[in-house]
Amino acid sequence: MRLSLVRREVVADGVVVLDLRDPSGSDLPSWTPGAHIDVVPAAGVVRQYSLCGDPADRTVWRIAVLREPDGRGGSRALHDKLAEGDLVEVRGPRNHFPLVPAPRYLFVAGGIGITPLLPMIAAAAARGAEWRLHYGGRSRGSMAFRSALRSAYGGRVLICPQDETGLLDLDGILADEPADTPIYCCGPEPLLTAIEQRCPGRPLHLERFAPRDPNEHGEPVRTDSFEVELARTGRTLTVPPGRSILRTVEDAGVEVLWSCTEGTCGTCETAVLGGEVDHRDSLLTPGERAANDTMFICVSRAAGPRLILDL
């Protein structure tokens, strides 16, 4: 769908908030805390941004965009070329980072990773849950929504600019938290890797901006071709070495939704009806991988000679 930019506001160094509405005035699709949308700022360019407004307000979707000078141009287009009144192509929302019911939460944010946590914090506060937020960033000026969070929630929000206090003290943060507290963390990969290493067996929920290091997945289970049966039609396709399942089914004329092609956005998630999967995404938990009932066909492959997919 095409939405209209009705408001833009610079909220931190290199961060702009964009409010999007349906030009006809219709309500937008509902969403829950943790959801993101795909934004298409230019032809062939698709980027994912977390919704950071109020889920109860169906008239507007709010995103915050960090300018990435060394990126591929998507954030620069939204910062420099999109003006109030312009239309932009948007898809979604989708949520692979939902807030689970709990009496207590620990939120940890790094930089622009604060965005998906904003509606989660509001939901936790509305439920009367106990929670804390540890929010790190390069400097105070780079930390979007810092003042609003402190004004709304006071001492539950701990602001930790790196140039003043150093990196987030994850060991100290986690030591003060009961082992069964759900932990929600979003930010740059070094932060996510560091907290993962410290939380084996703990209820940790992560949102990534970029795919994991491919080396973490190890070598592919198989490097030769394999077959994919499309259960809805009974067709069987051969996926050759070096070619993704996504591109193979598209080449065969099968329409599937996709966005990042890196295993981080979740758009191409597909149900697995048979066969073993070599998961190579950055989304599924170890338990979800072991269930072997879903996969992201842009990066994951077969661990055996044949997969049966709900396509």
Side-chain angles (χ1 to χ4, degrees), residues 226-230 233-239 306-307:
F226 57 91
E227 292 185 340
V228 170
E229 179 182 334
L230 310 183
T233 64
R235 295 177 65 187
T236 297
L237 306 175
T238 298
V239 181
R306 186 180 183 90
L307 285 173

Side-chain angles (χ1 to χ4, degrees), residues 146-160:
R146 168 180 53 83
S147 297
L149 283 164
R150 286 302 302 267
S151 296
Y153 303 116
R156 293 192 181 194
V157 176
L158 288 88
I159 303 297
C160 305

Side-chain angles (χ1 to χ4, degrees), residues 102-107 124-125 127-132 156 177 181:
R104 181 178 177 87
Y105 300 94
L106 172 63
F107 299 106
R127 295 175 190 169
E130 292 294 322
W131 60 271
R132 290 185 302 149
R156 293 192 181 194
E177 204 63 44
T181 300

Side-chain angles (χ1 to χ4, degrees), residues 119-227:
M120 292 186 180
I121 290 168
R127 295 175 190 169
E130 292 294 322
W131 60 271
R132 290 185 302 149
L133 167 66
H134 293 263
Y135 180 14
R138 297 188 312 277
S139 64
R140 289 182 183 271
S142 71
M143 299 171 71
F145 311 108
R146 168 180 53 83
S147 297
L149 283 164
R150 286 302 302 267
S151 296
Y153 303 116
R156 293 192 181 194
V157 176
L158 288 88
I159 303 297
C160 305
Q162 184 177 343
D163 61 351
E164 299 177 25
T165 62
L167 295 173
L168 287 169
D169 177 16
L170 295 180
D171 292 323
I173 291 169
L174 295 169
D176 293 337
E177 204 63 44
D180 61 349
T181 300
I183 303 165
Y184 282 81
C185 181
C186 185
E189 187 59 32
L191 171 63
L192 302 186
T193 299
I195 201 167
E196 274 188 312
Q197 292 171 346
R198 290 165 169 80
C199 290
R202 299 184 72 159
L204 176 64
H205 306 263
L206 303 178
E207 174 103 306
R208 280 185 157 82
F209 301 138
R212 294 174 181 268
D213 183 344
N215 293 327
E216 291 186 24
H217 297 298
E219 293 297 322
V221 174
R222 58 185 304 134
T223 57
D224 56 346
S225 62
F226 57 91
E227 292 185 340

Side-chain angles (χ1 to χ4, degrees), residues 106-128:
L106 172 63
F107 299 106
V108 181
I112 197 63
I114 190 63
T115 51
L117 303 186
L118 293 174
M120 292 186 180
I121 290 168
R127 295 175 190 169

Side-chain angles (χ1 to χ4, degrees), residues 22 32 46 54 62-63 78 100 105 135 140 166 178 202 268 279 284:
D22 188 309
T32 54
V46 182
D54 180 1
R62 174 170 294 173
I63 60 174
L78 293 173
V100 299
Y105 300 94
Y135 180 14
R140 289 182 183 271
R202 299 184 72 159
C268 68
H279 293 288
L284 296 180

Side-chain angles (χ1 to χ4, degrees), residues 229-252:
E229 179 182 334
L230 310 183
R232 298 183 197 176
T233 64
R235 295 177 65 187
T236 297
L237 306 175
T238 298
V239 181
R243 191 74 169 164
S244 69
I245 297 174
L246 171 64
R247 295 307 182 203
T248 300
V249 298
E250 280 198 321
D251 291 345

